[in-house]
């Protein structure tokens, strides 16, 4: 790398103030995929009991209908990197938006259980694409000094999507007289819940036309003139654009389109950095966070809380999720990624252990004893808070920036795919585990939260403030 490029690279880490607002808009628009990710993931929470009742299915079959979307997520995540490298980040976002729209309409109007599952797979594929494209795109357009905060927009959008879906579900439930199968707009309430997602899906597609293509993709496609225009748009006209293009080109000279083969290395199958990315993804899910969003209403109802109150508690948990994410956005570039991850892991262990203790008590008249009920509720919020201020943000930020340039797209796809597989394992197993022993289930999640601490301390390197060209 030339000294000129190096100088420009360090200077490019700080966007001009007049351009920072525009970069924020671009990152927020790209993170709309995260909003849909959160909305689609959590909206099913309001339909679980209605689906069980309408189709008369047991916990194992119900879990598969809920979790089957995650298979689509894994496939979408695994293929999104290659797709984005071939046709661009923006076009890939637009494909995801179309799939989101189709899924929301189909899920609201299912003929039978099998096609409800099919539409959930389609929506899952779109979520998987968005989970890869959003962080990668934001990392490529964000100046290094702001990349952690802008990268955390993905998780912020996810948690806002979760909260909005719970609020909408609660409103729809009340409009239907507290009955998830009550009639509303000519449909059952749960169908309306699933269909409302068409609104943000269309908005995501429209926003994708308002943001520029990634300068790194443009350069890789030989569109240097357009890349200069985008760099001026996001970093300011006073930046040496020729030097910035040269810096990116130097970093890309030794690169080729990343493939699965590039990730292989040695006797451990994958290269160590890929295993670390997979480890981060798996630990993020094995603490059981999505149980709080897929099954919270059902969980609270199982310990005696009435449906309307259970929906409200799901919403308050989502608000705590947003609060924790805001905390993470403030500190991810100040404290760094590793310290936040460790702090969050410790807090999650405490919350999960308290939940396990509370759920170990027998129900009295169909409800937990008062003291244990309140502790379970508070502990659930503590768990979500510490997840949100740490692993919820840190993992998405690190997956967007930790891999060397020549591996980034393919490695991010594999890591995100591993995350969806882990998510599926937790989601599909929870109903049966809860029927067996709810307390022990939470002990298992607490153990994984505890194991994540030595994993971070031993294997995860800090990426705060580094340019993408410095990775690896």
């Amino acid at each position: 790398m030339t000294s000129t490029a190096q100088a420009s690279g360090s200077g490019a880490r700080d966007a001009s103030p007049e351009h920072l607002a525009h970069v924020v808009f671009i990152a927020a628009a790209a993170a709309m995929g995260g909003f849909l990710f959160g909305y689609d993931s959590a909206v099913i929470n309001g339909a679980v009991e209605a689906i069980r009742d309408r189709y008369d299915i047991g916990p194992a079959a119900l879990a598969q209908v809920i979790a089957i979307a995650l298979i689509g997520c894994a496939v979408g995540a695994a293929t999104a990197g290659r797709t984005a490298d071939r046709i661009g980040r923006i076009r890939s976002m637009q494909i995801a938006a179309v799939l989101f729209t189709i899924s929301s309409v189909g899920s609201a109007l299912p003929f039978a259980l099998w096609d409800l599952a099919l539409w959930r797979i389609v929506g899952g594929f779109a979520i998987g694409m968005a989970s890869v494209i959003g962080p990668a795109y934001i990392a490529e357009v964000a100046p290094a000094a702001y990349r952690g905060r802008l990268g955390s927009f993905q998780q912020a959008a996810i948690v806002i999507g979760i909260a909005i879906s719970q609020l909408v579900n609660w409103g729809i439930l009340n409009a239907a007289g507290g009955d998830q199968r009550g009639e509303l707009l000519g449909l059952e309430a749960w169908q309306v819940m699933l269909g409302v997602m068409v609104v943000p899906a269309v908005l995501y597609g429209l926003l994708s036309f308002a943001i520029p293509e990634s300068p790194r993709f443009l350069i890789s496609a030989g569109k240097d003139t357009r890349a200069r225009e985008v760099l001026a748009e996001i970093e300011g006209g006073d930046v040496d654009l020729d030097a910035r293009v040269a810096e990116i080109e130097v970093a890309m000279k030794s690169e080729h389109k990343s493939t699965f083969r590039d990730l292989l290395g040695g006797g451990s199958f994958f290269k160590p950095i890929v295993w670390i990315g997979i480890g981060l993804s798996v630990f993020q899910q094995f603490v059981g966070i999505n149980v709080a969003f897929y099954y919270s209403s059902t969980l609270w109802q199982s310990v005696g809380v009435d449906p309307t109150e259970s929906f409200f508690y799901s919403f308050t948990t989502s608000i705590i999720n947003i609060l924790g994410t805001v905390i993470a956005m403030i500190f991810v570039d100040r404290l760094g990624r590793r310290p936040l991850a460790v702090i969050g892991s410790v807090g999650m262990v405490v919350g999960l252990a308290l939940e396990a203790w509370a759920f170990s008590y027998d129900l009295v008249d169909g409800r937990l004893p008062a003291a244990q009920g309140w502790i379970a509720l508070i502990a659930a919020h503590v768990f979500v808070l510490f997840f949100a201020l740490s692993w919820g943000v840190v993992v998405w930020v690190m997956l967007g920036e930790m891999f060397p340039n020549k591996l980034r797209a393919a490695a991010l796809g594999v890591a995100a795919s591993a995350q969806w597989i882990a998510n599926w394992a937790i989601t599909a197993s929870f109903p049966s585990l809860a029927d067996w022993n709810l307390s022990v289930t939470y002990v298992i999640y607490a153990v994984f939260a505890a194991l994540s601490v030595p994993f971070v301390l031993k294997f995860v390197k800090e990426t705060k403030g580094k340019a993408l060209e410095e990775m690896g």
Side-chain angles (χ1 to χ4, degrees), residues 195-423:
V196 167
M197 196 181 73
V198 72
V199 176
V202 171
L203 179 59
Y204 179 44
L206 293 176
L207 284 173
S208 69
F209 288 97
I211 58 178
E213 183 55 86
S214 157
R216 283 178 175 78
F217 172 76
L218 292 170
I219 291 171
S220 72
K223 301 178 180 180
D224 289 12
T225 300
R226 177 55 183 155
R228 287 181 175 84
E229 293 173 356
V230 174
L231 286 167
E233 186 179 337
I234 62 179
E235 295 185 1
D238 55 344
V239 172
D240 188 336
L241 299 178
D242 290 336
R244 283 292 291 125
V245 170
E247 178 189 19
I248 295 171
E249 287 178 335
V250 166
M252 295 172 64
K253 272 183 180 178
S254 60
E255 297 177 26
H256 56 282
K257 296 292 184 183
S258 56
T259 66
F260 185 81
R261 182 178 299 176
D262 296 323
L263 308 182
L264 307 181
S268 61
F269 191 72
F270 285 129
K271 292 179 178 178
I273 189 66
V274 180
W275 281 118
I276 293 170
I278 291 172
L280 285 169
S281 290
V282 169
F283 273 117
Q284 189 198 51
Q285 295 304 313
F286 274 16
V287 298
I289 185 60
N290 280 307
V291 167
F293 300 121
Y294 295 149
Y295 295 114
S296 60
S297 293
T298 296
L299 176 64
W300 295 124
Q301 289 175 52
S302 73
V303 293
V305 177
D306 71 61
T308 303
E309 284 185 351
S310 73
F311 273 53
F312 179 72
Y313 291 153
S314 295
F315 174 62
T316 60
T317 302
S318 300
I319 297 300
I320 293 296
N321 198 17
I322 293 175
L323 175 62
T325 302
V326 171
I327 293 172
M329 292 174 70
I330 293 172
F331 290 105
V332 68
D333 280 325
R334 297 180 183 179
L335 290 180
R337 286 62 160 153
R338 293 174 80 243
L340 274 183
V342 172
I343 291 169
S345 293
V346 173
M348 287 191 293
V349 169
V350 173
L352 289 166
L354 286 172
E355 284 192 88
W357 174 81
F359 289 131
S360 69
Y361 281 73
D362 293 331
L363 302 184
V364 178
D365 296 327
R367 299 178 67 97
L368 278 176
Q372 283 71 28
W374 278 108
I375 289 174
L377 186 61
I378 294 169
H381 285 73
V382 168
F383 163 58
V384 170
L385 174 65
F386 276 94
F387 175 86
L389 65 81
S390 59
W391 285 77
V393 166
V394 165
V395 171
W396 288 113
V397 171
M398 293 199 72
L399 290 182
E401 66 186 12
M402 67 183 286
F403 300 113
N405 281 335
K406 65 181 180 180
L407 305 179
R408 182 168 295 115
L412 181 53
V414 168
S417 183
Q419 184 172 135
W420 292 117
I421 293 171
N423 191 340

Side-chain angles (χ1 to χ4, degrees), residues 150-207:
L150 294 175
S152 64
F153 277 26
Q154 174 79 359
Q155 180 64 17
I158 291 171
V159 299
I160 291 171
I162 290 170
I164 295 297
S165 73
Q166 300 307 307
L167 181 60
V168 170
N169 283 357
W170 184 57
I172 291 172
L173 183 70
N174 278 282
D179 183 1
Q180 293 176 40
R181 297 198 59 190
E183 184 175 340
L184 192 65
L185 302 177
L187 301 171
E188 293 185 6
W190 68 274
Q191 294 176 273
V192 178
M193 293 176 189
L194 299 182
V196 167
M197 196 181 73
V198 72
V199 176
V202 171
L203 179 59
Y204 179 44
L206 293 176
L207 284 173

